C-alpha cells in the first residue's frame, strides 16, 4: 500500500503573538484588551474581528534567566533553565533555555517546541538556543 506523505503536514508547534487590528500593537501572551488603545479581543471572533496572529520566532536577546529545580513528575531532569528574552519587535517572552552557561544580553534564536514532557500535557512554548 502506498502512502502519500505529502498529504501530511509535519507537526510544528508555533507560538503566536497577536496584532491589534485597530492600532497595530503586538502583544504576547494574547491579551483580552489591547494595552495601547483598549480594543477588545474576542478569541472566538464572533463579536469582535479576529486579531492577526504573528508567529514569534527568530532572533532575540536574553534579558534574564533562572534555574528551576522543583520540577513536576514526568520530567527526567535535575533542573530546567528558563529565560526571559526580548524579540526584535520588542516583545518579551519566557521559555526554556538550552544554553549551558547563559549570559545576560547574549543573542539567542527562538523556536517553538513542546515544553512539557508530561504525557497528555504537551504545550507549545518557546525554546531558546544559541544562534548559529
Ligand atoms: Zn490597539
Amino acid at each position: 500500500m502506498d502512502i502519500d506523505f505529502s498529504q501530511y503536514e509535519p507537526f510544528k508547534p508555533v507560538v503566536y503573538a497577536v496584532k491589534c487590528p485597530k492600532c497595530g500593537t503586538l502583544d504576547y501572551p494574547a491579551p483580552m484588551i489591547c494595552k495601547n488603545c483598549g480594543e477588545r479581543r474576542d478569541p472566538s471572533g464572533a463579536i469582535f474581528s479576529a486579531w492577526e496572529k504573528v508567529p514569534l520566532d527568530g532572533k532575540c536577546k536574553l534579558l534574564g534567566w533562572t534555574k528551576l529545580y522543583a520540577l513536576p513528575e514526568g520530567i527526567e531532569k535535575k533542573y530546567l533553565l528558563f529565560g526571559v528574552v526580548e524579540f526584535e519587535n520588542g516583545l518579551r517572552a519566557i521559555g526554556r533555555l538550552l544554553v549551558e552557561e547563559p549570559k545576560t544580553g547574549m543573542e539567542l534564536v527562538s523556536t517553538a517546541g513542546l515544553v512539557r514532557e508530561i504525557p497528555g500535557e504537551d504545550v507549545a512554548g518557546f525554546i531558546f538556543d544559541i544562534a548559529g
Side-chain angles (χ1 to χ4, degrees):
M1 192 174 97
D2 288 332
I3 299 170
D4 181 7
F5 286 101
S6 67
Q7 290 179 39
Y8 298 89
E9 288 283 322
F11 177 67
K12 185 179 182 295
V14 181
V15 179
Y16 294 97
V18 290
K19 191 174 182 179
C20 172
K22 205 170 168 188
C23 71
T25 297
L26 285 171
D27 209 352
Y28 169 84
M32 290 310 293
I33 294 172
C34 175
K35 65 185 173 190
N36 183 54
C37 73
E39 177 81 351
R40 290 190 61 182
R41 186 176 67 88
D42 177 10
S44 70
I47 301 167
F48 301 97
S49 56
W51 290 28
E52 187 187 337
K53 286 160 105 187
V54 180
L56 273 180
D57 55 14
K59 276 195 213 169
C60 54
K61 195 172 79 178
L62 186 63
L63 299 180
W65 55 275
T66 187
K67 258 183 198 177
L68 191 68
Y69 285 93
L71 300 175
E73 253 182 85
I75 296 181
E76 303 283 322
K77 293 186 179 87
K78 270 192 186 138
Y79 64 84
L80 291 176
L81 283 166
F82 285 87
V84 179
V85 303
E86 185 171 283
F87 287 95
E88 287 180 317
N89 60 20
L91 286 176
R92 293 177 177 188
I94 294 172
R96 282 274 304 278
L97 192 56
L98 301 182
V99 185
E100 283 299 316
E101 292 181 27
K103 290 184 184 70
T104 302
M106 73 193 302
E107 298 280 331
L108 297 171
V109 167
S110 168
T111 53
L114 297 177
V115 291
R116 289 192 196 160
E117 301 175 13
I118 302 165
E121 288 191 36
D122 290 342
V123 171
F126 293 109
I127 296 174
F128 309 124
D129 205 351
I130 295 174

